[in-house]
Amino acid sequence: MGKILEVKNLTIHIKTHKGVVQAVRGVDFYLNEQETLAVVGESGSGKSITMKGVMGILPKNGKVVDGTVMFQGNDLTKYTERQMQQVRGSEIAMIFQDPMSALNPVMTVGAQIMEVLKIHHPEQSTAQLEARVDEMMELVGIPAKRKVEYPHQFSGGMKQRIVIAIALACEPKLILADEPVSALDVTIQKQIMELMVQLQEELQLSILFISHDLNVIYQMCDRVLVMKEGRIV
């Protein structure tokens, strides 16, 4: 298996009212196809900002000032925002930490899965998109008939399943999972981790998994990177 992602000398600066913060300092790592790589470290060590740099979703005051992010042979740091919009969701998807804030409270969960599909598959009919929404709901263990319900009608664990369904809807090859189980209780954590392992095998996914929970990492991941003060240590 080859490398699906290779990051070299990634350096990210964040402008603040007190000056420039070197949030990520010359980070190097790679991820193989169908591998799960953990990134661990204390709060503020640069884990999430590194992933946002890879995804091209840095805050407005953040900037990649050096380094390359090679995804399937292409340097994403050279992509325009329009090009990155085509990559996000279809090639690389992100599962965010808190499902409560990741979902839109005034849209049905089915509409939120449909939204991603419409962006990347505008050529498909409404019937085809609806069928895909049903398929994704069932894939993550939620009856398709519940697609007309709103996020507040689901438990925390089921919300996270919906977030995973949105991430997987366009069949990306790489998933960036930013502490996807930290907001859930232990029993639900186990269910979500088992689901992710199952989906990885079925869909042949590569996963970059951020966590500070070593027990979760032990169960989920093939290799571990430890970050401190913006560096891999």
Side-chain angles (χ1 to χ4, degrees):
M1 290 186 294
K3 296 174 183 176
I4 190 169
L5 180 71
E6 188 169 15
V7 174
K8 290 186 177 179
N9 195 37
L10 184 64
T11 304
I12 298 173
H13 289 177
I14 306 290
K15 286 185 179 179
T16 71
H17 65 283
K18 291 185 177 180
V20 175
V21 175
Q22 297 179 15
V24 178
R25 310 177 185 197
V27 164
D28 298 311
F29 67 88
Y30 66 90
L31 175 65
N32 292 318
E33 293 174 350
Q34 299 176 44
E35 181 183 40
T36 301
L37 174 64
V39 182
V40 302
E42 61 195 12
S43 295
S45 61
K47 306 185 301 296
S48 294
I49 206 75
T50 297
M51 298 310 106
K52 288 179 179 178
V54 170
M55 193 75 164
I57 53 171
L58 289 170
K60 289 183 179 179
N61 60 338
K63 184 179 181 181
V64 174
V65 296
D66 199 4
T68 57
V69 177
M70 303 300 294
F71 174 68
Q72 295 186 319
N74 298 309
D75 185 2
L76 298 184
T77 65
K78 301 290 192 293
Y79 276 32
T80 65
E81 176 57 23
R82 183 179 290 275
Q83 288 174 312
M84 282 304 299
Q85 286 173 2
Q86 296 303 311
V87 171
R88 294 187 205 111
S90 63
E91 300 286 336
I92 306 175
M94 196 158 187
I95 300 172
F96 292 96
Q97 181 173 355
D98 184 4
M100 287 65 167
S101 59
L103 295 172
N104 187 331
V106 298
M107 289 176 67
T108 64
V109 296
Q112 295 187 59
I113 300 172
M114 174 82 80
E115 189 174 39
V116 180
L117 293 168
K118 281 181 177 178
I119 291 170
H120 293 288
H121 297 288
E123 77 286 354
Q124 292 189 359
S125 67
T126 301
Q128 288 175 310
L129 296 175
E130 289 280 2
R132 181 62 175 167
V133 170
D134 293 352
E135 182 185 342
M136 294 312 302
M137 294 280 289
E138 298 287 351
L139 184 67
V140 297
I142 300 176
K145 64 183 180 182
R146 296 198 64 183
K147 67 184 176 183
V148 296
E149 297 179 18
Y150 291 85
H152 73 269
Q153 295 173 278
F154 293 84
S155 67
M158 294 186 87
K159 284 191 185 82
Q160 192 60 289
R161 287 171 182 265
I162 296 295
V163 171
I164 291 171
I166 293 170
L168 297 179
C170 293
E171 301 181 354
K173 299 175 180 67
L174 172 60
I175 296 290
L176 308 181
D178 188 358
E179 302 198 32
V181 296
S182 64
L184 308 174
D185 64 54
V186 175
T187 308
I188 305 303
Q189 277 187 6
K190 188 171 188 296
Q191 292 177 9
I192 296 298
M193 286 191 299
E194 288 173 350
L195 174 65
M196 289 184 69
V197 170
Q198 173 197 331
L199 293 175
Q200 182 178 29
E201 291 174 358
E202 288 180 10
L203 305 175
Q204 300 183 336
L205 300 170
S206 303
I207 300 176
L208 204 54
F209 194 97
I210 299 175
S211 183
H212 58 262
D213 188 329
L214 294 179
N215 184 50
V216 169
I217 285 162
Y218 175 72
Q219 296 179 59
M220 283 284 299
C221 302
D222 302 306
R223 290 187 297 121
V224 181
L225 299 176
V226 181
M227 288 193 73
K228 184 177 176 65
E229 296 177 356
R231 294 188 176 94
I232 302 289
V233 296

